[in-house]
Amino acid sequence: MLQSGFTRALCVSIWLVGGALAAAPALAQDASAPLPMMTPAQPTIAQPTVAQPTVPQPTVAIPTAPAAPVVVGTQPAPTSGVQSVAPGAGPVVNPIAAPVATSSRQLIRPETESRPVVVELFTSQGCSSCPPADSYLGQLARRKDVLPLSYHVDYWDYIGWKDQFADPAYVGRQRAYAMTLGHHMVYTPQVVVAGAVDAQGADRAFIEQKIREAKARQRMYPLEVARDPQTGQVLLQLPEAPLPVPATIWLVTYQYKDEAAIDRGVNSGRTLDSFNTVRSLQKVAVWNGHAATVPLQLDAKAKAEKPNACAVFANLADYGPIVAAVAFDFDDAW
């Protein structure tokens, strides 16, 4: 993220060195210079501080290392391929859900092609380099072969503007991707294509190349979402798939377009647009590749916000390559 003067140097170039933190202003001109992954505050452990003259150090949450998924292969159909996770329960896997009747279900029309490439942008209203990436994501949102999602992070809030769409859970997802991809840093704007490769968020040529490569690999499996008109239950149909390891099923809600007038921070005086802005993220099941029907239970807070749309996608393990995805209208489901 580009800044001016000392603040810009600090925002793009904070490094973890031998257990102590020090500023490295030599990287101030690098627009894509990443923020290092740092240890978060814990209830009983003192947080390290940054020696700097005027600007406080942001705290970036580190996600808890996910437990290894449990493969379920001995339960009766139709739910033998999954373990369900209660809304808001995070990574805790609950007992197997009861079988779901599907005879009267009504298919919900998807908003994407059957095997869309998921493009996840990590962005911030407090990042001066992010608006071009936000604009590009808006262009991707008009395509049916791509499912773009915008996660706002909070680690730039300290420099003057609190991002109204940020959530520590999204920082946790970004940092988990970084660890999975073998990186030691996170930054904005960052794009992760198909859960498999990352890119600087405004590098359109590189991102388009990675989208084409993901489509050519043809490693996506189709998902269907249906609604039971009698019970109101929303159901996800998982196909048979030869997965190398179990996959985590995620459910997100998002808004097609958001607009915000920024009156502080590095983007002060600008009106910023955000597209497919994620409003909630929850883990719903672990899938071992068997065909199964999974009830989707959206938590009450996410429902109350009345988002435009929902998306379901599956990462191998927790944060590996994405092997299945679908998006659908919120009102069609709930």
Side-chain angles (χ1 to χ4, degrees):
M1 184 184 70
L2 291 176
Q3 308 290 338
S4 60
F6 176 79
T7 301
R8 175 170 61 187
L10 177 65
C11 294
V12 298
S13 54
I14 304 170
W15 296 87
L16 186 62
V17 182
L21 297 178
L27 296 179
Q29 302 303 317
D30 184 357
S32 62
L35 182 75
M37 297 193 288
M38 293 169 286
T39 304
Q42 299 294 333
T44 60
I45 299 175
Q47 177 71 15
T49 57
V50 178
Q52 52 182 302
T54 57
V55 185
Q57 173 67 21
T59 299
V60 180
I62 298 179
T64 302
V70 179
V71 179
V72 180
T74 59
Q75 301 297 326
T79 55
S80 64
V82 299
Q83 286 189 320
S84 296
V85 178
V92 179
V93 179
N94 288 340
I96 302 301
V100 179
T102 60
S103 58
S104 62
R105 66 179 187 170
Q106 298 175 340
L107 289 178
I108 296 174
R109 180 178 59 85
E111 297 196 338
T112 57
E113 295 179 358
S114 62
R115 294 174 175 83
V117 177
V118 180
V119 177
E120 299 173 85
L121 169 67
F122 296 92
T123 185
S124 172
Q125 293 173 343
C127 161
S128 61
S129 301
C130 286
D134 296 329
S135 178
Y136 174 48
L137 197 86
Q139 295 179 26
L140 291 177
R142 296 196 288 266
R143 294 167 51 172
K144 297 296 184 183
D145 62 326
V146 175
L147 172 52
L149 297 168
S150 177
Y151 300 88
H152 284 239
V153 299
D154 62 4
Y155 48 77
W156 295 125
D157 289 359
Y158 81 105
I159 59 174
W161 175 258
K162 181 177 175 59
D163 192 314
Q164 59 196 286
F165 305 126
D167 191 306
Y170 309 154
V171 181
R173 183 169 182 83
Q174 184 185 25
R175 293 174 62 78
Y177 266 139
M179 289 186 285
T180 300
L181 295 172
H183 302 329
H184 300 289
M185 305 175 187
V186 296
Y187 60 94
T188 58
Q190 181 184 28
V191 159
V192 176
V193 179
V197 63
D198 75 310
Q200 208 279 345
D203 191 346
R204 301 189 180 200
F206 184 79
I207 294 170
E208 291 290 345
Q209 175 188 341
K210 295 306 172 183
I211 291 173
R212 290 191 297 270
E213 291 176 0
K215 293 172 69 174
R217 284 195 295 267
Q218 296 182 342
R219 294 177 181 170
M220 295 283 287
Y221 303 98
L223 300 178
E224 288 186 347
V225 180
R227 188 177 187 278
D228 187 322
Q230 296 180 344
T231 65
Q233 196 171 38
V234 181
L235 308 171
L236 171 67
Q237 183 63 50
L238 298 168
E240 190 77 19
L243 303 180
V245 296
T248 299
I249 306 295
W250 301 91
L251 171 63
V252 304
T253 62
Y254 60 95
Q255 205 75 13
Y256 293 139
K257 184 178 179 180
D258 289 289
E259 185 178 276
I262 312 300
D263 59 19
R264 292 186 302 278
V266 297
N267 288 314
S268 180
R270 302 181 65 174
T271 297
L272 301 182
D273 293 330
S274 178
F275 300 90
N276 286 14
T277 312
V278 173
R279 295 299 178 81
S280 69
L281 170 69
Q282 65 187 75
K283 180 178 181 178
V284 297
V286 176
W287 174 35
N288 70 2
H290 293 314
T293 300
V294 183
L296 295 178
Q297 301 178 23
L298 195 63
D299 65 52
K301 180 181 178 182
K303 280 186 179 181
E305 291 185 352
K306 296 290 184 182
N308 294 134
C310 305
V312 178
F313 50 88
N315 286 90
L316 289 179
D318 270 353
Y319 301 99
I322 293 176
V323 294
V326 66
F328 53 96
D329 185 88
F330 174 83
D331 291 332
D332 288 349
W334 285 283

